[in-house]
mmCIF file of all heavy atoms in Angstrom:
data_model
loop_
_atom_site.group_PDB
_atom_site.id
_atom_site.type_symbol
_atom_site.label_atom_id
_atom_site.label_comp_id
_atom_site.label_asym_id
_atom_site.label_seq_id
_atom_site.Cartn_x
_atom_site.Cartn_y
_atom_site.Cartn_z
ATOM 1 N N ARG B 31 -78.554 7.025 -71.148
ATOM 2 C CA ARG B 31 -77.683 7.769 -72.061
ATOM 3 C C ARG B 31 -76.979 6.791 -72.983
ATOM 4 O O ARG B 31 -76.621 5.699 -72.594
ATOM 5 C CB ARG B 31 -76.653 8.587 -71.275
ATOM 6 C CG ARG B 31 -77.305 9.422 -70.208
ATOM 7 C CD ARG B 31 -77.167 10.895 -70.204
ATOM 8 N NE ARG B 31 -76.693 11.556 -71.367
ATOM 9 C CZ ARG B 31 -75.696 12.421 -71.359
ATOM 10 N NH1 ARG B 31 -75.053 12.687 -70.251
ATOM 11 N NH2 ARG B 31 -75.342 13.030 -72.458
ATOM 12 N N SER B 32 -76.729 7.206 -74.197
ATOM 13 C CA SER B 32 -76.042 6.354 -75.164
ATOM 14 C C SER B 32 -74.529 6.501 -75.015
ATOM 15 O O SER B 32 -74.029 7.448 -74.395
ATOM 16 C CB SER B 32 -76.438 6.751 -76.585
ATOM 17 O OG SER B 32 -75.883 8.023 -76.913
ATOM 18 N N TRP B 33 -73.804 5.569 -75.616
ATOM 19 C CA TRP B 33 -72.352 5.655 -75.622
ATOM 20 C C TRP B 33 -71.898 6.934 -76.335
ATOM 21 O O TRP B 33 -70.914 7.555 -75.930
ATOM 22 C CB TRP B 33 -71.737 4.426 -76.278
ATOM 23 C CG TRP B 33 -71.771 3.247 -75.359
ATOM 24 C CD1 TRP B 33 -72.631 2.185 -75.429
ATOM 25 C CD2 TRP B 33 -70.940 3.018 -74.225
ATOM 26 N NE1 TRP B 33 -72.376 1.322 -74.388
ATOM 27 C CE2 TRP B 33 -71.338 1.806 -73.641
ATOM 28 C CE3 TRP B 33 -69.896 3.727 -73.630
ATOM 29 C CZ2 TRP B 33 -70.726 1.271 -72.514
ATOM 30 C CZ3 TRP B 33 -69.280 3.196 -72.494
ATOM 31 C CH2 TRP B 33 -69.698 1.995 -71.961
ATOM 32 N N ALA B 34 -72.623 7.330 -77.372
ATOM 33 C CA ALA B 34 -72.281 8.564 -78.089
ATOM 34 C C ALA B 34 -72.414 9.781 -77.170
ATOM 35 O O ALA B 34 -71.562 10.674 -77.188
ATOM 36 C CB ALA B 34 -73.167 8.721 -79.324
ATOM 37 N N HIS B 35 -73.469 9.825 -76.365
ATOM 38 C CA HIS B 35 -73.647 10.935 -75.421
ATOM 39 C C HIS B 35 -72.549 10.944 -74.362
ATOM 40 O O HIS B 35 -72.032 11.996 -73.995
ATOM 41 C CB HIS B 35 -75.020 10.863 -74.740
ATOM 42 C CG HIS B 35 -76.136 11.289 -75.617
ATOM 43 N ND1 HIS B 35 -77.164 10.443 -75.963
ATOM 44 C CD2 HIS B 35 -76.390 12.459 -76.236
ATOM 45 C CE1 HIS B 35 -77.998 11.075 -76.748
ATOM 46 N NE2 HIS B 35 -77.557 12.305 -76.941
ATOM 47 N N ILE B 36 -72.216 9.765 -73.858
ATOM 48 C CA ILE B 36 -71.159 9.671 -72.845
ATOM 49 C C ILE B 36 -69.844 10.162 -73.437
ATOM 50 O O ILE B 36 -69.123 10.942 -72.810
ATOM 51 C CB ILE B 36 -71.041 8.223 -72.322
ATOM 52 C CG1 ILE B 36 -72.308 7.833 -71.549
ATOM 53 C CG2 ILE B 36 -69.790 8.055 -71.458
ATOM 54 C CD1 ILE B 36 -72.434 6.355 -71.264
ATOM 55 N N ALA B 37 -69.546 9.716 -74.645
ATOM 56 C CA ALA B 37 -68.305 10.134 -75.309
ATOM 57 C C ALA B 37 -68.274 11.641 -75.510
ATOM 58 O O ALA B 37 -67.246 12.291 -75.266
ATOM 59 C CB ALA B 37 -68.155 9.414 -76.644
ATOM 60 N N THR B 38 -69.383 12.202 -75.905
ATOM 61 C CA THR B 38 -69.458 13.651 -76.110
ATOM 62 C C THR B 38 -69.203 14.384 -74.801
ATOM 63 O O THR B 38 -68.460 15.369 -74.767
ATOM 64 C CB THR B 38 -70.827 14.043 -76.699
ATOM 65 O OG1 THR B 38 -70.991 13.363 -77.953
ATOM 66 C CG2 THR B 38 -70.932 15.529 -76.916
ATOM 67 N N ASP B 39 -69.788 13.898 -73.714
ATOM 68 C CA ASP B 39 -69.562 14.506 -72.406
ATOM 69 C C ASP B 39 -68.087 14.466 -72.010
ATOM 70 O O ASP B 39 -67.595 15.358 -71.319
ATOM 71 C CB ASP B 39 -70.387 13.805 -71.325
ATOM 72 C CG ASP B 39 -71.867 14.099 -71.426
ATOM 73 O OD1 ASP B 39 -72.246 15.035 -72.165
ATOM 74 O OD2 ASP B 39 -72.649 13.390 -70.768
ATOM 75 N N LEU B 40 -67.388 13.413 -72.431
ATOM 76 C CA LEU B 40 -65.973 13.254 -72.096
ATOM 77 C C LEU B 40 -65.052 14.006 -73.060
ATOM 78 O O LEU B 40 -63.844 14.025 -72.865
ATOM 79 C CB LEU B 40 -65.601 11.765 -72.092
ATOM 80 C CG LEU B 40 -66.244 10.911 -71.010
ATOM 81 C CD1 LEU B 40 -65.959 9.434 -71.264
ATOM 82 C CD2 LEU B 40 -65.750 11.332 -69.633
ATOM 83 N N GLY B 41 -65.635 14.583 -74.111
ATOM 84 C CA GLY B 41 -64.824 15.301 -75.092
ATOM 85 C C GLY B 41 -64.154 14.398 -76.105
ATOM 86 O O GLY B 41 -63.144 14.762 -76.710
ATOM 87 N N VAL B 42 -64.707 13.205 -76.292
ATOM 88 C CA VAL B 42 -64.136 12.242 -77.236
ATOM 89 C C VAL B 42 -64.590 12.593 -78.648
ATOM 90 O O VAL B 42 -65.785 12.732 -78.902
ATOM 91 C CB VAL B 42 -64.597 10.799 -76.877
ATOM 92 C CG1 VAL B 42 -64.099 9.794 -77.892
ATOM 93 C CG2 VAL B 42 -64.160 10.441 -75.470
#
Side-chain angles (χ1 to χ4, degrees):
R31 309 239 15 232
S32 70
W33 283 104
H35 285 119
I36 294 167
T38 300
D39 288 347
L40 294 171
V42 176

